[in-house]
Amino acid sequence: MSSQPIALLSVYDKTGLLDLANALTQSGVRLLGSGGTAKKIREAGIKIEDVSDITKAPEMLGGRVKTLHPAVHGGILARSIPSDVKDLEDNGISPITIVVCNLYPFTETIAKPSCTLADAVEEIDIGGVTLLRAAAKNHARVSVLSDPNDYAEFLKEWTESSGKVGDALRNRLALKAFEMTAKYDDAISGYFRQQYASADLAPENLAGPVQRLPLRYGANPHQKPAQAYIAGQPLPFKGYINLLDALNSWALVKELSETLQLAAAASFKHVSPAGAAVGLSLSEVEKKVYGVDDLKESLTPLANAYARARGADRMSSFGDFIALSEECDVATAKIISREVSDGVIAPGYSPDALAILKKKKAGKYCVLQMDPKYVPESSETRQVYGISLQQNRNDAKIDGSLFQNVVTEEKSLPESALTDLVVATLALKYTQSNSVAYAYHGAIVGLGAGQQSRIHCTRLAGGKADNWWLRHHPRVLALPFKAGVKRADKANAIDLFVTGEILEGGERAQWETLFETIPEPLTAKEKEEHAAALTEVACSSDAFFPFPDNVHRAKKSGVKYLAAPSGSVMDAECIKAADEHKMVFCHTSLRLFHH
């Protein structure tokens, strides 16, 4: 067999093809080509042989079979080892040194409005993908050119080194070929997922379980098209929903319930919890604070959990997405039915609860059923500005054992405090960083999310906890609202009242119309005396406290139990501050940034 190097050319995109073919011929390379590639080169007066000259088999099936032959792939895949060389000699096959190939324009074809299924099928490249993968696999010996932009660099190295190509260039060309075939396969599977496994298909057109959900838009109405999909298995939910809030909130309540063995609920807004809680019983005062004292149905543990989650920060929870760890029951559905929310996700719904929820928004309320057995892949990938970022999923276990390292003089951690620390810390795991959370009686009562400064997180969360507690004040509970005032208007009026917001003009006049008699503002003394009655609050931080001001601020909101990772140069000062306030401070050694 001749030692003359061989290049196999089979391209759809013929950009730069003739210059490449001419340069290779002049450098002594024997050219082989398939179909239209060989025709174009030959018409330009450049010598080239047909692939069929070495396969001794014609192209067939309308061009579907051209290069799929041992004479081609044996020549590409053969390694520079004696056994492979002997196999080639025994079968009269010459080694192929260069493979030049790019693929049918599948993505461009399916983007055309007139594209039919048959059109798409014919644009699925078989031989080209096989050539690229074979050449890339054997890149220790073979150079694979999948992008015309690489022709010039390759020719420069080929000619300057007398037909030798360095490892670095061959390695880079192989990686590009693998990336091309991966992207190509992804486009094909995405197209057929849309054709055969999409939620918008008629039942008779579904080939199996639903794997794709088309969305009206992405984060904003102008971000179209948008979809949610999963590869290799059915979507683990049913329904049309705000996916980011639904899936994040589900992960939180699932973990809360599994850890504490209690019903759990969450209220999510913009990918962070406005509230989260477990199903501890409500006192009569709490029922009034959370607006469920007039509910005719007996409160179940799940209903208690959602009442707490929704009621802790009613202003932030307005228009929330709800997550429930257990089957939604009638009592919980009743609470949901009278609040403004975007949707709910739960592992199931009782028939009566579902009937109640179907009446919301004239039947357009988002009700999502989640498969409780679904377990996500261990790694997660997101794309930012065209760059893919991948990491192991945050599977850190958060339970009572996380708080064993108590670093203060005070050591006592009752079960109730451990429950609150778990609730606060698990909420942080699913909150945009930086974040600090306050918890009390199994519920988040203040959460500071997405702040660049730790102290601002602590102040924001503390301020929300203070307002939550002021809503328990007897004068607040007795506010003389007029009959017929809507729940949302009451929530807003109470928030203005407890925060002491200065109202003027039309805003003041509108606020006053809600009451039978205009209430006098809470005095500073009333607020101070009421605040002093709140103790035993738990506070957790997703990263270390950089300064003791966080500890001092937490104390003002009744915090007795603190949890944060260690690692600050001011750890000792923070512990000293906690000792000053007779607090229990746990170093967790677990950072929980979430972005």
Side-chain angles (χ1 to χ4, degrees):
M1 288 181 289
S2 172
S3 60
Q4 181 182 16
I6 297 174
L8 173 61
L9 301 93
S10 180
V11 297
Y12 180 88
D13 180 358
K14 295 177 175 58
T15 302
L17 176 64
L18 297 182
D19 289 341
L20 174 67
N22 187 54
L24 289 174
T25 299
Q26 290 181 2
S27 65
V29 177
R30 175 188 172 192
L31 304 186
L32 294 174
S34 67
T37 304
K39 182 175 182 292
K40 185 174 181 67
I41 292 173
R42 191 174 292 118
E43 288 176 347
I46 302 170
K47 183 179 179 180
I48 186 169
E49 300 172 57
D50 291 315
V51 170
S52 58
D53 292 337
I54 66 168
T55 63
K56 308 305 179 185
E59 292 185 10
M60 61 177 66
L61 306 180
R64 282 191 170 196
V65 179
K66 302 174 186 175
T67 59
L68 297 171
H69 194 280
V72 173
H73 290 285
I76 296 172
L77 287 165
R79 296 158 293 182
S80 301
I81 59 175
S83 60
D84 282 10
V85 173
K86 184 176 186 304
D87 282 343
L88 292 186
E89 291 175 348
D90 291 346
N91 290 279
I93 298 173
S94 298
I96 294 172
T97 305
I98 304 166
V99 172
V100 183
C101 181
N102 53 62
L103 306 174
Y104 294 166
F106 182 83
T107 302
E108 291 84 349
T109 297
I110 62 175
K112 298 175 182 176
S114 60
C115 177
T116 65
L117 181 62
D119 294 335
V121 167
E122 287 309 310
E123 291 302 320
I124 298 175
D125 203 319
I126 304 301
V129 170
T130 310
L131 287 175
L132 289 175
R133 289 182 65 85
K137 176 176 180 175
N138 202 28
H139 66 275
R141 182 182 66 79
V142 178
S143 297
V144 54
L145 292 163
S146 60
D147 182 354
N149 291 321
D150 294 322
Y151 293 172
E153 181 183 6
F154 172 80
L155 285 172
K156 184 175 185 294
E157 185 157 336
W158 177 267
T159 54
E160 289 180 354
S161 59
S162 302
K164 302 292 183 182
V165 177
D167 290 345
L169 180 56
R170 275 186 286 103
N171 295 347
R172 178 156 52 84
L173 294 173
L175 172 60
K176 180 174 280 192
F178 281 130
E179 289 175 337
M180 175 178 283
T181 60
K183 185 176 181 180
Y184 197 73
D185 285 340
D186 186 59
I188 293 169
S189 62
Y191 174 79
F192 284 100
R193 193 180 297 116
Q194 183 175 356
Q195 298 300 312
Y196 297 144
S198 187
D200 57 338
L201 294 173
E204 62 270 19
N205 293 331
L206 277 171
V210 171
Q211 294 179 247
R212 174 185 181 270
L213 178 69
L215 305 175
R216 285 191 300 161
Y217 50 80
N220 297 291
H222 66 274
Q223 291 177 268
K224 302 175 181 178
Q227 62 171 328
Y229 70 89
I230 192 169
Q233 58 182 308
L235 280 174
F237 52 78
K238 300 175 183 177
Y240 291 82
I241 36 75
N242 179 332
L243 281 168
L244 291 175
D245 283 344
L247 296 177
N248 275 286
S249 61
W250 167 255
L252 171 55
V253 298
K254 184 174 187 288
E255 196 167 346
L256 262 178
S257 181
E258 290 176 349
T259 300
L260 295 175
Q261 295 297 296
L262 293 167
S267 167
F268 254 67
K269 285 281 293 294
H270 296 292
V271 206
S272 284
V278 291
L280 302 182
S281 296
L282 296 174
S283 69
E284 293 306 313
V285 170
E286 287 174 323
K287 289 178 183 179
K288 190 169 181 61
V289 170
Y290 297 139
V292 295
D293 55 314
D294 59 341
L295 199 70
K296 295 179 180 179
E297 288 75 17
S298 298
L299 291 174
T300 61
L302 188 65
N304 285 327
Y306 181 59
R308 288 184 182 278
R310 171 78 186 209
D313 184 359
R314 294 189 62 82
M315 300 297 290
S316 296
S317 286
F318 184 84
D320 63 344
F321 204 95
I322 302 159
L324 308 172
S325 68
E326 299 179 0
E327 180 182 272
C328 182
D329 52 44
V330 169
T332 307
K334 284 283 190 180
I335 299 174
I336 295 172
S337 71
R338 54 190 193 174
E339 302 289 5
V340 177
S341 64
D342 282 350
V344 57
I345 181 172
Y349 301 84
S350 73
D352 290 342
L354 188 58
I356 293 169
L357 296 175
K358 282 184 175 180
K359 295 177 182 178
K360 278 182 73 69
K361 293 188 175 181
K364 296 180 180 180
Y365 187 64
C366 298
V367 178
L368 177 66
Q369 184 170 338
M370 185 72 182
D371 180 1
K373 297 179 182 178
Y374 170 71
V375 177
E377 297 288 338
S378 59
S379 66
E380 57 186 8
T381 305
R382 65 184 295 187
Q383 196 176 81
V384 179
Y385 205 60
I387 305 300
S388 294
L389 308 174
Q390 189 174 69
Q391 64 179 2
N392 282 342
R393 190 170 302 282
N394 186 356
D395 58 0
K397 183 73 172 175
I398 295 172
D399 57 24
S401 64
L402 185 64
F403 310 104
Q404 292 179 345
N405 183 25
V406 179
V407 294
T408 45
E409 296 172 357
E410 293 284 334
K411 304 290 185 184
S412 178
L413 268 176
E415 281 299 314
S416 59
L418 282 174
T419 295
D420 290 344
L421 286 173
V422 167
V423 170
T425 308
L426 265 174
L428 296 177
K429 184 178 176 181
Y430 297 98
T431 299
Q432 296 296 297
S433 296
N434 291 319
S435 59
V436 169
Y438 293 51
Y440 186 71
H441 282 185
I444 296 298
V445 296
L447 197 147
Q451 304 299 303
Q452 288 82 6
S453 164
R454 180 71 42 189
I455 185 58
H456 287 150
C457 292
T458 307
R459 289 172 183 166
L460 177 59
K464 290 188 174 190
D466 295 344
N467 292 340
W468 164 82
W469 181 239
L470 278 173
R471 285 167 45 211
H472 293 68
H473 194 285
R475 285 226 291 126
V476 176
L477 295 176
L479 283 172
F481 285 105
K482 291 179 179 178
V485 175
K486 294 180 180 179
R487 295 173 66 84
D489 291 333
K490 282 185 179 180
N492 186 53
I494 291 171
D495 185 73
L496 292 171
F497 183 74
V498 300
T499 57
E501 188 78 14
I502 303 299
L503 305 179
E504 298 177 343
E507 185 181 20
R508 173 76 187 185
Q510 191 279 330
W511 182 80
E512 291 180 349
T513 64
L514 302 176
F515 302 98
E516 295 287 354
T517 57
I518 309 305
E520 289 296 320
L522 289 169
T523 66
K525 183 179 180 182
E526 285 177 313
K527 289 184 177 182
E528 183 180 350
E529 289 177 348
H530 187 71
L534 179 63
T535 59
E536 306 294 310
V537 176
C539 173
S540 186
S541 173
D542 69 350
F544 61 66
F545 289 128
F547 299 102
D549 54 356
N550 291 274
V551 180
H552 296 308
R553 175 60 189 87
K555 176 60 179 177
K556 294 177 181 178
S557 296
V559 170
K560 170 73 174 178
Y561 308 102
L562 273 177
S566 58
S568 169
V569 295
M570 299 291 283
D571 275 349
E573 291 300 312
C574 291
I575 295 169
K576 181 180 177 181
D579 282 334
E580 176 188 339
H581 299 301
K582 300 188 183 306
M583 300 164 81
V584 180
F585 192 0
C586 310
H587 273 169
T588 65
S589 300
L590 178 64
R591 195 179 76 179
L592 290 168
F593 281 170
H594 180 69
H595 298 287

